[in-house]
Amino acid sequence: MDIFKFAIPEVIFGRGSLQYASICAKRLGASKIFVVSDPGVESVGWVENLLDILRKERLDFVYFNDVVPNPRDFQVHNGADLYRREEADVVLALGGGSPMDAAKGIALIVSNGGEIADYEGANMVRRPLPPMVFIPTTMGSESNISQFTVVTDVERRVKMTVISRTLVPNISITDPLLLETLSREQIIPPLFDSLAHAVESYVSPIANPFTEAWSLKGLDLLIRHIRPALEHCRLEDLEQLAIAGTSSGMAFTNASVGLGHALAHALGGMHDVVHGTAHSLLLPSVMRFNLPVCEAKMAKIGEIITGKRLRTDEATALAGIEALEQLREEIGIPCRLREILPDRTMLPQASHNAVKDICLLTNPRQADWKDILNIYYEMW
């Protein structure tokens, strides 16, 4: 058997665990905490709750909220400038994938210098980052678990992926109570991101027995709890989805992702498409593309999605893919790229951008820009 490496943060999970944010920051040596969030999280009161927790422990902090969905490179640089001026020493992020990715970018720049574009790709980071405590307010991105950060290069209109073990936060705190303020519309895109993490990490050529177990655990929980969570928004189901997200996060941070993420990043960089929405459109097509080279694994995925094993691996896999498409239609989200893009003239350029994405290296089947363009056209 090969030698495997499995890296995750210290994970704190449970209702009310937000209260441990100050204790965790103190344990990491905080004297001035750099808190990163966004106006959306502010509007539901979680930022003020967190700051109150820090105040009760007499912890000094500086707050940065200049973050938008698909965070921009200049926002990361502005945050790094503020961090330096305020002489902060621990990064605490509260929010969905965008605040957490921005916080990682800020931590990277203040410790390694330069610009965020200098670190695009894998293993380009040379020096350790400041200690990081991350608290997700959604399920799906799992930046609180992963060694990835994704930031938009505004000039090139490209979502840059940075991969480094140094980007794994020291501590992840997941409090399911934070999910209760999410609307149905806010829940849906991250769930498809989480589905993509589970599926793509499972079929990754660098998957191993540890990542495979967490991929399948995440997928199983997602399939069992998506519908009831969206129908009733019960805390019990949201909690299980948070466990699902954490599970698939532990898988993909160690096994990586694939073609679906390359395609989604290209659309996000050029047209600011919501990452999870891109996955809801593209994941079934990506699964069909990869099916010829990983039938047995795709059949296992199909069996979990449908609860049935058919006569052949191919039939079982295709049934799972079709069930995902039915789920998408049942939920009532876009089913075609033309529903979210102004026209298709940008798709050739998006295909060229996607083929350069580092996530493509861990797709089980090689794809060139023409293959990618065909997938985009198929979904138009």
Side-chain angles (χ1 to χ4, degrees):
M1 182 176 284
D2 292 334
I3 297 171
F4 305 119
K5 190 174 182 180
F6 193 81
I8 61 171
E10 176 181 346
V11 175
I12 298 173
F13 188 103
R15 301 178 191 183
S17 56
L18 179 64
Q19 66 182 303
Y20 295 109
S22 57
I23 295 171
C24 291
K26 286 173 74 173
R27 183 151 59 83
L28 294 174
S31 60
K32 192 169 193 178
I33 302 169
F34 194 79
V35 180
V36 182
S37 192
D38 65 27
V41 181
E42 283 177 28
S43 68
V44 293
W46 293 122
V47 171
E48 195 56 36
N49 283 10
L50 174 62
L51 299 183
D52 282 343
I53 289 168
L54 300 182
R55 292 183 187 109
K56 286 176 184 175
E57 290 292 328
R58 301 179 184 275
L59 285 169
D60 195 10
F61 61 84
V62 57
Y63 178 51
F64 179 78
N65 70 346
D66 182 19
V67 180
V68 296
N70 296 323
R72 289 12 179 193
D73 48 3
F74 67 85
Q75 294 175 322
V76 167
H77 299 147
N78 290 343
D81 290 341
L82 179 62
Y83 182 105
R84 293 190 186 105
R85 287 198 306 272
E86 295 289 340
E87 299 182 339
D89 50 19
V90 168
V91 176
L92 198 165
L94 175 73
S98 295
M100 291 191 288
D101 278 357
K104 287 184 180 181
I106 291 165
L108 172 55
I109 297 304
V110 299
S111 56
N112 283 261
E115 299 182 350
I116 191 68
D118 299 335
Y119 304 97
E120 184 177 6
N123 303 319
M124 303 295 289
V125 182
R126 298 289 175 250
R127 291 194 283 274
L129 273 60
M132 296 184 289
V133 180
F134 278 22
I135 307 168
T137 58
T138 65
M139 72 295 281
S141 85
E142 307 315 325
S143 188
N144 55 301
I145 300 290
S146 80
Q147 60 171 320
F148 290 65
T149 191
V150 182
V151 176
T152 299
D153 183 318
V154 174
E155 184 176 346
R156 291 189 294 147
R157 298 180 70 195
V158 168
K159 287 182 75 169
M160 302 175 289
T161 302
V162 181
I163 308 174
S164 169
R165 296 287 180 184
T166 64
L167 293 173
V168 178
N170 300 74
I171 301 173
S172 166
I173 302 174
T174 300
D175 186 342
L177 295 177
L178 274 60
L179 306 178
E180 289 190 297
T181 55
L182 295 174
S183 67
R184 185 179 185 275
E185 290 68 30
Q186 290 171 318
I187 293 172
I188 292 170
L191 289 181
F192 276 91
D193 192 12
S194 198
L195 280 168
H197 291 156
V199 169
E200 292 196 305
S201 62
Y202 185 59
V203 300
S204 165
I206 60 172
N208 63 61
F210 299 102
T211 65
E212 288 171 346
W214 288 112
S215 297
L216 296 181
K217 177 67 172 178
L219 180 62
D220 179 58
L221 288 173
L222 283 162
I223 294 302
R224 285 199 280 123
H225 293 279
I226 282 179
R227 285 182 175 86
L230 293 178
E231 184 176 352
H232 305 294
C233 288
R234 287 190 302 251
L235 179 58
E236 291 77 10
D237 292 308
L238 295 173
E239 189 170 52
Q240 292 301 308
L241 291 176
I243 295 172
T246 301
S247 300
S248 60
M250 290 192 292
F252 96 81
T253 188
N254 290 282
S256 194
V257 284
L259 175 61
H261 273 74
L263 269 65
H265 290 160
L267 295 180
M270 293 192 70
H271 276 288
D272 214 23
V273 174
V274 174
H275 187 63
T277 301
H279 282 304
S280 71
L281 284 161
L282 297 168
L283 180 58
S285 295
V286 169
M287 292 169 70
R288 281 196 182 89
F289 178 83
N290 286 331
L291 177 57
V293 299
C294 51
E295 273 193 7
K297 280 196 165 185
M298 283 293 185
K300 183 61 179 177
I301 291 169
E303 185 178 359
I304 290 174
I305 293 172
T306 65
K308 300 184 288 191
R309 187 86 189 186
L310 302 182
R311 193 159 51 89
T312 65
D313 282 348
E314 183 183 22
T316 306
L318 288 171
I321 293 169
E322 290 165 5
L324 279 184
E325 291 172 325
Q326 290 167 6
L327 173 65
R328 181 178 62 198
E329 293 177 11
E330 178 185 324
I331 291 172
I333 53 179
C335 296
R336 291 285 169 185
L337 286 173
R338 59 177 171 266
E339 298 177 56
I340 61 171
L341 296 176
D343 57 63
R344 53 190 277 171
T345 57
M346 48 70 66
L347 292 177
Q349 183 59 55
S351 302
H352 283 287
N353 291 350
V355 83
K356 299 172 189 173
D357 194 294
I358 194 167
C359 295
L360 200 57
L361 294 177
T362 43
N363 195 65
R365 182 182 177 187
Q366 288 189 336
D368 60 25
W369 75 269
K370 293 180 181 178
D371 295 320
I372 292 171
L373 184 59
N374 285 335
I375 293 174
Y376 281 146
Y377 282 161
E378 174 189 327
M379 290 311 300
W380 185 258

